[in-house]
Amino acid sequence: MRFVEMLDFNTVFLEKHDIYKEINKDEELKTRALLKILDSKRTKSLIYAGTYTNIDTLSTILTVHREPLNNPLLDSFAAWLSTNYSPHWPLVNLVRRGTAIHNGQLHRSISQIQVKLFDEEEGFDNIISTSSIIEGVNTSAENVILWKNKLGARSLNDFTYKNIIGRGGRMFRHFIGKIYLLEAPPKEETTQLEIPFPDEILGDLDEVRYSDSLTNEQVSKIIAFRDEMYGLIGKPAYDRLKKENVFQISNSEFIKTVARGMKDNPDEWNGLAYLNSDDPESWGRLLYKIIVLQPGGWDAQYRKVVAFIKAISKNWTATIPELLEELDEHDIGIDLFFKLERVVSFKFSAVLSDVNELQKEIINKGVDVAPFISKLSHAFLPSAVYQLEEYGLPRMVSKKLQRNNVINFMDDTLTLDMAIRVFQRLGKERVLATPTLDSFDKYILEFFYDGITIDKCAQAA
């Protein structure tokens, strides 16, 4: 295999403006510069915020300094967000002012809808984003504004910076992309592809296979971990679990701590089967115990995480506004709701899965909480509904289709592929005729069908 370079030019030209030199880190001047850029002419602008905190800062600036646009399409979306999420969500007022938000915490369907509206001529003028906008999102803008040279808590690296400003310009539309730097860009550097193995994942590695990438100390840790696990659950059991890639969180210290705790104090794990109960109040002790075993990374106090899991057990039967009202006493608002739903469905379900596998090997009382883990991994929604959000179909639209007997999402055998085939078989017009759908529900379904409709040419091929 060999690489043949065919093109040696860029399809658009990037025109950079080093405004940070004039601002000199003055926040008031920075705000004025931002508003001046946005006022210069109506065009599409991507504002890179860098952190969630800066998204909040920019949202406040644009809400205060911008009047509602009276755009029927955006007003319809704002009303839909207010009804289905919360009238107090800052995004509602921001949408009315022609600005979207993109980050990794929002429900994927909401992010996709906002990108769709940003790409439409009569949709959003601006989109405020973290680095999520460059992670598999196909969009671009005439203006790219660097508000903060951060990537979360770290400084922005040159590779990510170039990816961000690469969103400037649009082929056949804006041949000149304008890059406005309100903070200094990172120094240009050679991209390093070498990624060292962190100690946390050493338990998953074969010291022989990866010997060239491991230090002697890491090899010793791998051998010590494996020998200890042999002593705790036996060599055949550990070798089988490792071969089958059963452990999900790749944190060898956590796996070892849980296994040792079960071996030394099995009675402390009595009641694990209660997690399969339909009564959320019986889950509390075990949920708290498991969360404490994996400190950090939960985005909230342990008690809030437990309260959240109990509340979202009603995710399919209750609306998000109803869940937020219930969670208000625990000081969980909509932004934390998004964070915790992602943490619970990904991280906590993975942690609990590892706990479940270990207790089956060590305690062996016939308990299996896989049904609860499955519900948790889908945020207590039917699995097809949860997965369809990745395709741009929000759960509240799926609920309306369920209530009107259009699709039975409660069928446990309904997979994602099967659900998409059902949508294709029913056809767009049949689904759009569903009673109780509002105008923006129908806009969403039109967009959703664009993504799942099989091209006739591809079908013929």
Side-chain angles (χ1 to χ4, degrees):
M1 184 182 294
R2 65 192 182 95
F3 175 73
V4 180
E5 186 173 341
M6 302 295 291
L7 301 174
D8 61 355
F9 62 89
N10 293 321
T11 54
V12 296
F13 175 76
L14 298 183
E15 176 185 285
K16 295 182 185 178
H17 300 266
D18 296 334
I19 300 176
Y20 68 93
K21 294 177 180 177
E22 305 166 18
I23 294 172
N24 198 25
K25 299 183 179 180
D26 186 310
E27 290 299 314
E28 185 176 344
L29 291 177
K30 188 178 180 183
T31 298
R32 289 181 192 171
L34 170 68
L35 297 173
K36 184 178 179 181
I37 295 165
L38 299 180
D39 284 341
S40 60
K41 71 170 183 175
R42 186 181 175 189
T43 188
K44 302 292 184 178
S45 296
L46 189 160
I47 309 169
Y48 177 73
T51 66
Y52 294 114
T53 301
N54 281 305
I55 282 184
D56 293 340
T57 299
L58 285 162
S59 298
T60 301
I61 289 171
L62 295 184
T63 300
V64 170
H65 292 278
R66 288 288 178 274
E67 295 295 326
L69 299 177
N70 295 318
N71 178 312
L73 178 58
L74 297 184
D75 287 347
S76 177
F77 181 39
W80 186 89
L81 290 172
S82 179
T83 299
N84 291 289
Y85 285 90
S86 169
H88 308 297
W89 191 8
L91 181 60
V92 173
N93 284 326
L94 204 58
V95 165
R96 293 194 175 106
R97 288 157 173 80
T99 299
I101 287 177
H102 195 286
N103 63 52
Q105 292 179 346
L106 295 174
H107 287 160
R108 191 68 61 89
S109 56
I110 298 302
S111 295
Q112 291 184 25
I113 291 165
Q114 289 187 96
V115 170
K116 160 76 170 170
L117 288 168
F118 182 67
D119 287 339
E120 289 201 15
E121 191 66 34
E122 297 304 316
F124 289 117
D125 294 331
N126 315 306
I127 186 165
I128 304 170
S129 177
T130 59
S131 61
S132 62
I133 201 70
I134 63 172
E135 295 165 2
V137 179
N138 182 26
T139 192
S140 57
E142 181 176 6
N143 296 337
V144 172
I145 304 168
L146 183 75
W147 174 263
K148 199 73 175 175
N149 56 6
K150 290 285 185 180
L151 182 62
R154 305 188 308 275
S155 294
L156 190 65
N157 59 55
D158 183 56
F159 179 78
T160 305
Y161 163 72
K162 286 177 178 174
N163 269 320
I164 293 166
I165 66 172
R167 296 286 172 167
R170 184 173 294 190
M171 188 66 172
F172 302 121
R173 206 165 154 193
H174 305 302
F175 286 97
I176 298 178
K178 297 178 181 178
I179 312 301
Y180 296 94
L181 304 177
L182 303 186
E183 287 204 353
K187 292 181 179 179
E188 193 162 346
E189 58 187 22
T190 303
T191 301
Q192 298 292 324
L193 296 179
E194 184 179 350
I195 304 174
F197 289 118
D199 285 356
E200 290 80 3
I201 71 166
L202 293 180
D204 268 357
L205 302 180
D206 184 306
E207 74 275 14
V208 177
R209 181 179 178 185
Y210 296 104
S211 59
D212 292 342
S213 302
L214 295 167
T215 65
N216 291 335
E217 184 181 0
Q218 287 178 318
V219 170
S220 298
K221 287 182 179 180
I222 291 173
I223 295 171
F225 171 75
R226 184 176 59 224
D227 289 345
E228 186 161 1
M229 291 302 295
Y230 282 168
L232 291 169
I233 66 176
K235 182 178 186 302
Y238 177 71
D239 287 345
R240 174 176 50 80
L241 292 176
K242 187 174 179 180
K243 182 179 179 181
E244 295 173 358
N245 292 315
V246 166
F247 296 127
Q248 294 189 24
I249 66 167
S250 300
N251 187 328
S252 53
E253 193 59 38
F254 170 78
I255 298 295
K256 187 169 60 176
T257 299
V258 172
R260 189 185 297 120
M262 289 179 174
K263 189 78 171 178
D264 295 343
N265 301 292
D267 290 344
E268 289 188 7
W269 291 91
N270 287 338
L272 195 65
Y274 281 117
L275 294 179
N276 287 330
S277 164
D278 291 329
D279 178 18
E281 293 307 313
S282 67
W283 304 344
R285 183 182 70 84
L286 269 302
L287 293 177
Y288 193 89
K289 178 180 177 63
I290 294 165
I291 291 170
V292 170
L293 286 171
Q294 178 76 356
W298 296 110
D299 286 326
Q301 296 170 332
Y302 300 159
R303 62 177 180 80
K304 289 188 179 183
V305 180
V306 172
F308 180 80
I309 293 173
K310 290 179 181 179
I312 65 164
S313 65
K314 301 186 285 289
N315 221 353
W316 181 237
T317 56
T319 66
I320 289 179
E322 288 169 344
L323 294 176
L324 288 172
E325 184 177 355
E326 178 180 335
L327 290 166
D328 184 58
E329 66 177 283
H330 302 284
D331 196 27
I332 297 175
I334 189 161
D335 289 327
L336 189 53
F337 183 98
F338 286 125
K339 287 182 183 179
L340 290 179
E341 188 174 271
R342 182 165 291 271
V343 162
V344 163
S345 57
F346 287 94
K347 180 177 178 179
F348 189 77
S349 65
V351 166
L352 185 55
S353 177
D354 290 350
V355 168
N356 190 43
E357 294 300 330
L358 286 170
Q359 66 87 22
K360 283 191 288 186
E361 296 295 336
I362 298 172
I363 301 174
N364 192 22
K365 289 187 176 180
V367 174
D368 185 1
V369 294
F372 179 80
I373 295 167
S374 178
K375 293 176 186 176
L376 199 66
S377 67
H378 299 127
F380 294 92
L381 295 167
S383 62
V385 170
Y386 182 79
Q387 293 167 28
L388 282 168
E389 287 200 319
E390 300 287 313
Y391 281 73
L393 187 67
R395 63 194 65 176
M396 47 285 295
V397 177
S398 295
K399 287 180 182 180
K400 289 184 179 181
L401 299 180
Q402 174 75 38
R403 285 196 294 267
N404 285 281
N405 299 315
V406 178
I407 298 179
N408 181 18
F409 291 111
M410 298 295 291
D411 180 356
D412 291 336
T413 66
L414 185 70
T415 64
L416 173 63
D417 289 341
M418 290 168 62
I420 291 174
R421 286 198 293 271
V422 170
F423 274 106
Q424 292 168 339
R425 186 177 70 249
L426 289 172
K428 181 169 64 176
E429 298 308 318
R430 163 71 179 86
V431 174
L432 288 175
T434 303
T436 72
L437 291 177
D438 64 29
S439 61
F440 202 79
D441 289 331
K442 294 178 181 179
Y443 176 88
I444 292 170
L445 281 164
E446 292 267 8
F447 171 46
F448 171 70
Y449 263 97
D450 286 344
I452 67 166
T453 302
I454 300 173
D455 185 89
K456 291 182 179 179
C457 295
Q459 233 177 357

